[in-house]
Amino acid sequence: MDPADDYIMGEDSIVESTETNGNYGRDTVDPSLTILPRGVSGPFTSRKAQLPIVGHGGSAGLRLSSNQSSIPVRPGDSSATHSDAGSEDMDFSISTVSSVQVRIPPPPRFSPLPYATSKTGLVYDARMRLHSEPLTMTIREEEIHPEDPRRIHEIFQEIQQAGLVQGPEEDEEDAKEDQCWRIQARHATKGEVCLIHTIEHYDFIESLQEKSDEELAFLGVKLDSIYFHNSTFDCARLAAGGAIEACRAVVRGDVRNAIAIIRPPGHHAECDQPSGFCIFNNVPIATRVCQGDFPDICRKVLILDWDVHHGNGIQHAFYQDPNVLYVSLHVYKNGEFYPGLVDGNLDHCGEGPGLGKNVNIPWSEHGMGDAEYIYAFQEVVVPIAAEFDPDLVIISAGFDAAEGDVLGGCHVTPACYAHMTHMLMRLAKGKLTVCLEGGYNLRSIARSALAVTRTLMLQPPDRLAADLKEPKLSAIQVVEQVKRQHSKYWKCMYPKLPDRKDTGFESKMRLHDVIREWQSKTFSETHQMMPLTIKRSGIAQTFEHNVIATPHFMDAHPLLVIFHDPPGVMNRADPITGRVELHNIWLTDASKSYIEWAIQDGFQVIDVNIPKVVDFEDDKGDFARSDDPELRGTLTRNLANYIWENYIEPNDATQVYLMGIGAAYLGLVDLLSLNENTTVEGTGVEHLIGFVSETPVHSIKRTTDDSIANWFFAHSHIFVANSHNAWSPERRRKPRRKYGQLVRSDYDDLNQMMESHRPEIQELLQQKRKDNEEERKASRLDDEEQQGLRSPPLPMNTPAQRLNNGNGRTARASTPTSPRLPQMG
């Protein structure tokens, strides 16, 4: 067959091989030379400085018998055709025949995927352990500074013992193909550090080399959460240089991804001063170096900071940069958690061209775990990161949110860190670098870093816990607020904020006002309920249309006074656009069923709605956070006291029952504590019914009455959510009588609790009304027996029966012995 002729191969063709059998030599090409970008060349002086040659499989020591007529060979498999491609320690022989038939597979229908030959890089240098707290400040072992030099040693030891990287005592020639590639750290130059920091800051850190221990201690106390050592300058430059080299190796393609085990950390360091254990801000320095060295292939960078503290230094470095997206998940606690700056809140989104490129997810409390972090990643981090489409991803990997870290107080497991890493590996074609930040429990950070390293090396993450619970309500609220805040900057974020340019925006009206006004009108038409006038500064405007009563609530009837939250809303958003339409919104109001039952059963009712936010003086259509439960409890107490003094105490209700739902319950307990007339036998409150879900259980307090706790226990039923802290097994003893008669509900949702306990409450109120009527009847019979014949009643036109009570109605004349009013003159 003429070598110049092309052979047209069909499906599963067989051709005669033109190559001779036996030894056949050919120079091989080092794959490390083929993956380097243009302009980058050797020399490669040692095995450690080269990337490994990764084969595609095949049998190097294949022995052919004389009766074999064909050998399946994979394209590119040099081991099947070249005898010197095998191991030097392996002896093999190939029988010689004149020709060999080679079975050629059909061509692939799709272009083959690139074979990943690069490794995971790892940066570690023991010299970074020299930065330590002066011995004069470590008197006892328990007082060792949390930013301990052992942190990086424990992490490296954990990874080495798992067989993922060579140790310093191992021979370079024994390196395995499935181990990390060691990237040498170097000192960052002054020019590189000053891409982020001022020259004065660099010079100050450099001057620490000549300071005495006393001077170092004084400077550490003077600044914010920091200590210094004569080796701090060298260690900080090594940490920054290690981050730089790890990122550069990933961007160049020398390694697939990398982890940098470096210290001191950096994300709290500002441009002009160190703080929070941090000297130089390692990740921003590496970001700027890569953007400068590789402007064509590393323009957009995503920095994901999952340290439990907010990375204020990183945020300030890129606050106006449109090419750097900074996302931080951290404990905020209304600015009370370190670093204690308002910059960590969710409304700080960047400035100028960087607007929208700063995403803070600030947890409102400690105790967040896998469920909360995975939820935030799925709802916010991954969608925004994918839309940003970075060229490089850098994780500021503080492991102080890990389970067991006392400073962080959170419960993130190593499996969760692995899953978060895995989600970020989808971005930037897998170009990902992990740089160590905080983390102060040695076992927690070692296990977490090992899980992340395994994931970088393409091992699947471990499964999350099978009993993983739903995210905390506070975490869901934070995530939803972040989505709302950033919906104006990112297409993937819903729900979208209302557009102020819309022509109908000026005629807007909060739906909670519309609903309450409608409810007031509906109750007026169906039950003749009327709004009560509230004339007291501070609460008058808030409770307009929020206090309504049945027409005869001042007469001699049992009276039920209900204080409750506004109706709830159940909505179904459009699955495509995320929009919520009115026809897909339902009201949920369990208190309505109580009102209707009470009226039908002969009770008079005062219905009090406690808004979740005070009325707006100038409603700009912005998101409004609900008022604090304690503030709403204070509003409830003030309003309840006003209603008691003006509408209940001066009138003739035979029995008064109070019902408090949610935060309103707190105000009713305060009313009973501060107003002694509310607990007078026969004329005061007969019973208090409460529903408690998220608010704390409140105790009654009265300095002048030691027996008030016994009264409260006998005259209350407090239904408490099943998962409330009052039932926590960690409580050493049961709640005392001053908290009332507590009843554990089977549910946590207030509406479910009210529906499930309604028969029980209805039976309780009916029984108490029956007992009261029997007591009143028995009391009247006793009076008739003792007094004999009584005087006939006065004519209806006597002045005594036309006394006006000040509310526009005629009341009966009170006898001189009435406990409600003083004796008449």
Side-chain angles (χ1 to χ4, degrees):
M1 177 174 163
D2 189 352
D5 295 337
D6 291 335
Y7 178 74
I8 307 300
M9 292 181 292
E11 295 285 330
D12 199 14
S13 303
I14 299 177
V15 298
E16 295 291 332
S17 174
T18 58
E19 295 185 1
T20 59
N21 293 307
N23 294 333
Y24 177 75
R26 176 180 292 180
D27 295 332
T28 59
V29 179
D30 187 343
S32 63
L33 300 179
T34 66
I35 64 173
L36 294 178
R38 295 179 180 177
V40 180
S41 59
F44 300 97
T45 56
S46 67
R47 179 185 178 95
K48 188 171 183 179
Q50 298 178 7
L51 289 178
I53 301 176
V54 181
H56 291 256
S59 301
L62 180 64
R63 182 182 300 275
L64 298 179
S65 62
S66 58
N67 59 354
Q68 283 181 306
S69 61
S70 64
I71 307 170
V73 178
R74 290 183 291 178
D77 194 345
S78 59
S79 62
T81 57
H82 309 304
S83 62
D84 55 356
S87 171
E88 296 177 356
D89 300 330
M90 188 177 297
D91 296 330
F92 62 91
S93 63
I94 301 178
S95 58
T96 303
V97 294
S98 59
S99 64
V100 177
Q101 287 185 338
V102 179
R103 185 176 295 274
I104 301 176
R109 298 182 179 180
F110 305 99
S111 58
L113 297 175
Y115 186 79
T117 59
S118 54
K119 288 188 171 187
T120 293
L122 184 142
V123 173
Y124 172 74
D125 194 311
R127 290 175 294 174
M128 286 183 277
R129 296 164 56 190
L130 296 177
H131 168 70
S132 61
E133 192 176 22
L135 294 176
T136 55
M137 300 181 63
T138 55
I139 302 175
R140 295 191 299 270
E141 183 177 355
E142 60 269 19
E143 293 183 355
I144 294 177
H145 198 280
E147 212 291 283
D148 190 339
R150 292 176 295 175
R151 294 171 59 243
I152 59 174
H153 177 69
E154 288 290 330
I155 293 175
F156 183 78
Q157 285 288 102
E158 188 81 8
I159 297 174
Q160 180 191 357
Q161 291 173 6
L164 303 184
V165 69
Q166 272 193 309
E169 70 283 355
E170 297 179 273
D171 191 355
E172 295 180 1
E173 298 299 324
D174 296 334
K176 300 178 182 179
E177 296 294 334
D178 57 352
Q179 288 183 325
C180 292
W181 183 263
R182 289 293 298 275
I183 300 173
Q184 298 301 314
R186 64 170 175 83
H187 291 93
T189 65
K190 184 175 184 179
E192 291 171 333
V193 173
C194 290
L195 290 172
I196 296 297
H197 297 282
T198 62
I199 296 177
E200 291 76 14
H201 175 62
Y202 182 91
D203 292 340
F204 167 72
I205 300 300
E206 186 178 21
S207 68
L208 299 176
Q209 300 176 99
E210 309 299 332
K211 303 287 185 183
S212 64
D213 289 348
E214 292 76 14
E215 291 175 313
L216 294 173
F218 173 77
L219 292 173
V221 173
K222 182 180 178 181
L223 294 173
D224 178 24
S225 303
I226 199 75
Y227 66 79
F228 296 118
H229 188 272
N230 294 130
S231 300
T232 296
F233 177 64
D234 281 337
C235 294
R237 287 197 301 150
L238 272 175
I244 292 172
E245 288 305 306
C247 292
R248 283 171 54 88
V250 171
V251 173
R252 283 198 310 260
D254 296 346
V255 291
R256 176 177 53 246
N257 47 45
I259 179 170
I261 308 171
I262 54 177
R263 67 174 291 272
H267 72 150
H268 290 310
E270 298 285 359
C271 66
D272 56 353
Q273 68 175 5
S275 65
F277 313 163
C278 303
I279 308 299
F280 293 147
N281 212 330
N282 308 315
V283 169
I285 293 172
T287 300
R288 285 289 187 235
V289 170
C290 289
Q291 286 178 324
D293 290 353
F294 311 101
D296 296 333
I297 60 175
C298 185
R299 180 172 301 179
K300 296 191 298 181
V301 179
L302 164 63
I303 300 176
L304 188 283
D305 189 345
W306 65 41
D307 192 285
V308 79
H309 304 93
H310 177 239
N312 52 289
I314 303 179
Q315 174 170 309
H316 295 157
F318 301 113
Y319 205 58
Q320 298 184 14
D321 193 330
N323 291 328
V324 178
L325 171 62
Y326 176 63
V327 183
S328 176
L329 301 94
H330 54 271
V331 174
Y332 182 63
K333 292 188 67 175
N334 198 28
E336 298 176 359
F337 193 63
Y338 189 89
L341 303 174
V342 296
D343 301 16
N345 205 358
L346 57 88
D347 56 352
H348 284 69
C349 306
E351 287 180 353
L355 189 61
K357 300 302 190 299
N358 193 90
V359 182
N360 286 323
I361 304 177
W363 303 129
S364 58
E365 59 178 330
H366 288 285
M368 300 303 175
D370 293 2
E372 290 75 27
Y373 274 78
I374 294 296
Y375 179 73
F377 257 67
Q378 293 175 338
E379 293 291 318
V380 176
V381 176
V382 173
I384 290 181
E387 185 176 336
F388 180 67
D389 191 19
D391 301 315
L392 173 66
V393 178
I394 307 177
I395 301 178
S396 283
F399 294 111
D400 41 6
E403 179 75 55
D405 195 293
V406 178
L407 290 183
C410 291
H411 309 289
V412 182
T413 65
C416 182
Y417 281 118
H419 278 273
M420 291 190 292
T421 304
H422 190 263
M423 284 187 270
L424 293 174
M425 289 171 65
R426 313 176 197 170
L427 306 167
K429 298 182 179 179
K431 294 183 180 297
L432 171 66
T433 303
V434 179
C435 295
L436 181 65
E437 294 285 359
Y440 309 103
N441 182 301
L442 299 182
R443 285 303 307 148
S444 295
I445 62 176
R447 294 176 61 242
S448 300
L450 174 61
V452 169
T453 305
R454 290 186 185 277
T455 304
L456 293 176
M457 300 179 72
L458 305 185
Q459 297 184 24
D462 290 337
R463 290 181 176 178
L464 298 172
D467 58 345
L468 193 66
K469 298 181 179 179
E470 295 181 356
K472 290 186 177 182
L473 179 60
S474 64
I476 295 176
Q477 291 173 342
V478 167
V479 170
E480 291 303 312
Q481 291 173 25
V482 172
K483 291 165 63 178
R484 182 182 296 269
Q485 183 72 29
H486 283 272
S487 63
K488 65 183 93 171
Y489 311 121
W490 302 98
K491 298 176 182 178
C492 60
M493 288 290 103
Y494 286 93
K496 300 294 184 183
L497 290 174
D499 189 359
R500 296 180 182 274
K501 298 179 181 179
D502 190 351
T503 54
F505 187 77
E506 294 301 327
S507 59
K508 64 189 181 301
M509 188 174 182
R510 294 273 177 178
L511 194 58
H512 84 111
D513 293 329
V514 177
I515 292 174
R516 190 54 191 175
E517 189 173 346
W518 167 81
Q519 280 189 322
S520 179
K521 182 179 179 181
T522 302
F523 281 128
S524 175
E525 294 174 351
T526 56
H527 303 296
Q528 292 75 48
M529 298 181 75
M530 56 186 179
L532 299 186
T533 304
I534 308 296
K535 294 183 177 180
R536 177 172 294 178
S537 60
I539 61 175
Q541 182 181 2
T542 301
F543 292 101
E544 184 180 3
H545 297 294
N546 285 307
V547 183
I548 57 177
T550 50
H552 303 293
F553 75 94
M554 291 183 288
D555 296 340
H557 300 286
L559 175 63
L560 176 62
V561 186
I562 303 179
F563 290 76
H564 60 86
D565 292 340
V569 175
M570 181 176 63
N571 66 77
R572 294 290 182 266
D574 188 292
I576 304 299
T577 64
R579 294 178 180 176
V580 178
E581 304 289 349
L582 291 179
H583 60 272
N584 285 321
I585 301 177
W586 296 265
L587 290 180
T588 58
D589 188 5
S591 63
K592 181 181 178 182
S593 60
Y594 280 82
I595 296 172
E596 293 177 343
W597 167 83
I599 294 175
Q600 293 174 1
D601 210 52
F603 287 81
Q604 296 298 306
V605 176
I606 298 178
D607 176 46
V608 184
N609 180 76
I610 307 297
K612 289 193 174 183
V613 63
V614 177
D615 286 345
F616 303 89
E617 295 182 0
D618 182 18
D619 190 356
K620 298 180 180 180
D622 295 331
F623 173 78
R625 189 188 300 272
S626 297
D627 289 334
D628 185 85
E630 294 188 2
L631 174 61
R632 298 179 63 219
T634 302
L635 286 175
T636 304
R637 181 191 64 201
N638 295 339
L639 178 63
N641 192 66
Y642 181 89
I643 294 175
W644 173 262
E645 293 176 347
N646 293 274
Y647 291 110
I648 300 178
E649 186 179 22
N651 297 302
D652 302 322
T654 55
Q655 288 177 297
V656 179
Y657 302 96
L658 299 181
M659 180 181 293
I661 303 168
Y665 152 79
L666 303 176
L668 296 183
V669 178
D670 287 342
L671 170 70
L672 300 177
S673 298
L674 301 176
N675 196 324
E676 296 183 0
N677 292 336
T678 57
T679 57
V680 174
E681 194 69 31
T683 61
V685 174
E686 180 67 25
H687 212 77
L688 171 66
I689 301 169
F691 289 93
V692 180
S693 177
E694 298 178 0
T695 53
V697 176
H698 216 33
S699 63
I700 194 169
K701 306 179 185 70
R702 190 178 291 175
T703 56
T704 59
D705 189 351
D706 295 334
S707 62
I708 189 62
N710 294 329
W711 180 94
F712 189 45
F713 184 82
H715 292 78
S716 66
H717 273 75
I718 314 299
F719 297 93
V720 184
N722 187 271
S723 62
H724 197 278
N725 289 335
W727 314 119
S728 173
E730 297 178 358
R731 295 181 64 94
R732 297 183 179 180
R733 56 181 180 178
K734 297 180 179 179
R736 289 178 288 179
R737 300 173 71 88
K738 66 179 182 178
Y739 293 102
Q741 190 174 157
L742 303 185
V743 180
R744 186 169 188 173
S745 176
D746 294 331
Y747 302 95
D748 291 331
D749 181 73
L750 282 175
N751 285 329
Q752 290 180 320
M753 292 169 60
M754 294 177 66
E755 286 297 328
S756 64
H757 295 289
R758 185 171 62 174
E760 181 180 350
I761 294 173
Q762 291 174 352
E763 182 180 356
L764 172 69
L765 295 179
Q766 290 172 337
Q767 185 62 43
K768 285 191 170 293
R769 182 180 62 179
K770 181 180 179 181
D771 294 343
N772 182 264
E773 291 175 351
E774 291 178 354
E775 290 178 2
R776 290 170 64 85
K777 184 177 180 180
S779 178
R780 285 197 302 269
L781 292 176
D782 290 342
D783 290 343
E784 291 177 358
E785 291 176 359
Q786 293 177 5
Q787 298 180 8
L789 296 175
R790 306 184 67 176
S791 300
L794 294 174
M796 292 300 297
N797 59 352
T798 58
Q801 288 196 339
R802 292 199 300 269
L803 290 175
N804 192 289
N805 64 0
N807 290 305
R809 63 181 293 272
T810 301
R812 297 189 305 273
S814 300
T815 62
T817 59
S818 172
R820 299 181 182 275
L821 296 175
Q823 293 185 357
M824 296 178 58

